[in-house]
Amino acid sequence: MSALSSTASPRSAAALDDDVAGFDGANDLLRAWSRGLRPDPDLTVSEWADRHRWLSSRASAEPGRYKTARTPYMREIMDALSPVSPVQRVVFMKAAQVGATEAGNNWIGFSIHQAPGPMLAVQPTVELAKRNSRQRIDPLIEESPELRERIKPARLRDAGNTMLSKEFAGGILIMTGANSAMGLRSTPARYLFLDEVDAYPASADEKGDPVSLAEARSLTFAHRRKALLISTPTIRGLSRIEREFEASDQRRYHVPCPHCGHAQWLRFERLRWDKGQPDTAEYRCEGCDTSIAEHHKTQMLAAGDWRAKAEAEDSHT
């Protein structure tokens, strides 16, 4: 049996231009065809954010271009969520207001623009998911031309853009609450963004642990799946994010002392103050015991790095 063969060469731009000349909408067709020939730039999530992300005054106290340099400790976390990284599961146990949710939103924007696929973003409740959609996701889309181009305005009848669902070529973003078993089990998801997991209920509509229900949505994507779990911890021994962190390689962000260069992760017990005078509080380096002033923080964070303290139970975490 012989196989069919062809000696036809790929159509050139000039040949296509001759074919569609004079055709209504020909220019739009040619522009779309040309865009399809250009490969997407090989960006990491942090590089995408620095190039394409703009913060709205509705979502940030400092509106304008997003700069990873303002929160350098988030760079490795975001880049682990990039397709080029073998990491499949990122766990971030954090303090309040350190830029974690915005980093997760950068990942959402990157995925829509660079690596589309189905994504499930989970807040503690459906009401919080709606609020997050209005206050963070809508501004994320509105302030980025690349995302506006891919997600139609909600006012259009066939937009596929609702408060809890954003459709785009190659994927969809579903937003739901950890208290909704139906939302957690509604669709397969290559990407999972689980925000403030310590505020999740123990069970979603008595159907099981919300994190487990959400992660079951990604099993079909095997090694191509990515999950981000973030939260401020609550009660020691009962905290969901603490349990997840202890199962990871327990990386801590180490910063160098501006005086002796000793690398350390900052901990509360290194704070010192005179009894009854909290305004005298100062941080003491664990290496040289010299006081570290607040103005050193920017320099220290920029020079810091993440260092593993244990072996993860799962090598992809």
Side-chain angles (χ1 to χ4, degrees), residues 100-221:
T101 297
E102 287 304 333
N105 291 339
N106 289 340
W107 180 37
I108 289 176
F110 170 89
S111 300
I112 294 171
H113 185 199
Q114 296 288 310
M119 172 177 275
L120 181 63
V122 184
Q123 293 289 324
T125 67
V126 173
E127 284 306 311
L128 285 175
K130 292 178 179 178
R131 183 190 305 174
N132 183 71
S133 178
R134 291 192 302 267
Q135 296 181 352
R136 292 181 181 267
I137 303 304
D138 285 347
L140 166 70
I141 296 167
E142 292 165 5
E143 298 296 328
S144 169
E146 291 76 18
L147 302 185
R148 286 202 311 269
E149 183 179 285
R150 286 160 174 80
I151 298 177
K152 297 179 182 178
R155 62 180 178 272
L156 299 181
R157 181 175 300 177
D158 61 344
N161 180 352
T162 67
M163 184 175 294
L164 295 178
S165 176
K166 310 293 183 183
E167 294 183 12
F168 48 92
I172 185 171
L173 169 64
I174 300 292
M175 293 164 280
T176 190
N179 60 341
S180 170
M182 180 176 295
L184 295 173
R185 298 190 301 182
S186 61
T187 183
R190 178 183 174 186
Y191 307 121
L192 299 174
F193 177 18
L194 311 183
D195 197 6
E196 290 300 343
V197 297
D198 265 24
Y200 289 8
S203 180
D205 295 334
E206 301 183 357
K207 300 295 184 181
D209 173 54
V211 172
S212 298
L213 290 175
E215 292 200 298
R217 299 295 90 209
S218 67
L219 294 177
T220 187
F221 290 93

Side-chain angles (χ1 to χ4, degrees), residues 43-50 66-92 98-100 103-104 106-107 226-228 230 245 248-255 301-310 315-317:
L43 298 177
T44 64
V45 173
S46 67
E47 289 170 341
W48 181 90
D50 287 337
Y66 181 91
K67 297 178 181 179
T68 302
R70 293 299 303 272
T71 53
Y73 47 84
M74 295 306 307
R75 186 183 305 276
E76 184 174 333
I77 291 174
M78 287 192 284
D79 290 350
L81 298 167
S82 307
V84 294
S85 170
V87 174
Q88 295 177 13
R89 200 166 185 267
V90 178
V91 174
F92 186 28
V98 296
N106 289 340
W107 180 37
K226 296 273 188 180
L228 172 63
I230 65 176
F245 174 76
S248 73
D249 64 9
Q250 300 179 26
R251 296 189 182 203
R252 304 272 190 175
Y253 196 69
H254 287 64
V255 293
L301 289 177
D305 64 333
W306 289 95
R307 301 185 183 184
K309 294 296 185 181
S315 61
H316 293 108
T317 300

Side-chain angles (χ1 to χ4, degrees), residues 31-52:
R31 279 195 296 269
W33 184 82
S34 298
R35 282 200 303 268
L37 290 179
R38 294 196 301 267
D40 288 331
D42 186 17
L43 298 177
T44 64
V45 173
S46 67
E47 289 170 341
W48 181 90
D50 287 337
R51 184 177 300 184
H52 297 293

Side-chain angles (χ1 to χ4, degrees), residues 233-292:
T234 50
I235 302 173
R236 184 181 296 275
L238 298 178
S239 167
R240 182 181 272 114
I241 198 69
E242 179 190 43
R243 183 170 65 250
E244 298 286 357
F245 174 76
E246 291 179 347
S248 73
D249 64 9
Q250 300 179 26
R251 296 189 182 203
R252 304 272 190 175
Y253 196 69
H254 287 64
V255 293
C257 171
H259 307 294
C260 70
H262 177 72
Q264 60 205 288
W265 60 276
L266 305 180
R267 59 192 82 193
F268 185 79
E269 53 265 31
R270 296 302 304 173
L271 281 173
R272 302 285 190 269
W273 63 88
D274 296 333
K275 186 175 181 179
Q277 295 181 286
D279 57 323
T280 64
E282 58 183 19
Y283 193 90
R284 293 277 181 169
C285 169
E286 67 180 20
C288 64
D289 202 43
T290 303
S291 175
I292 299 176

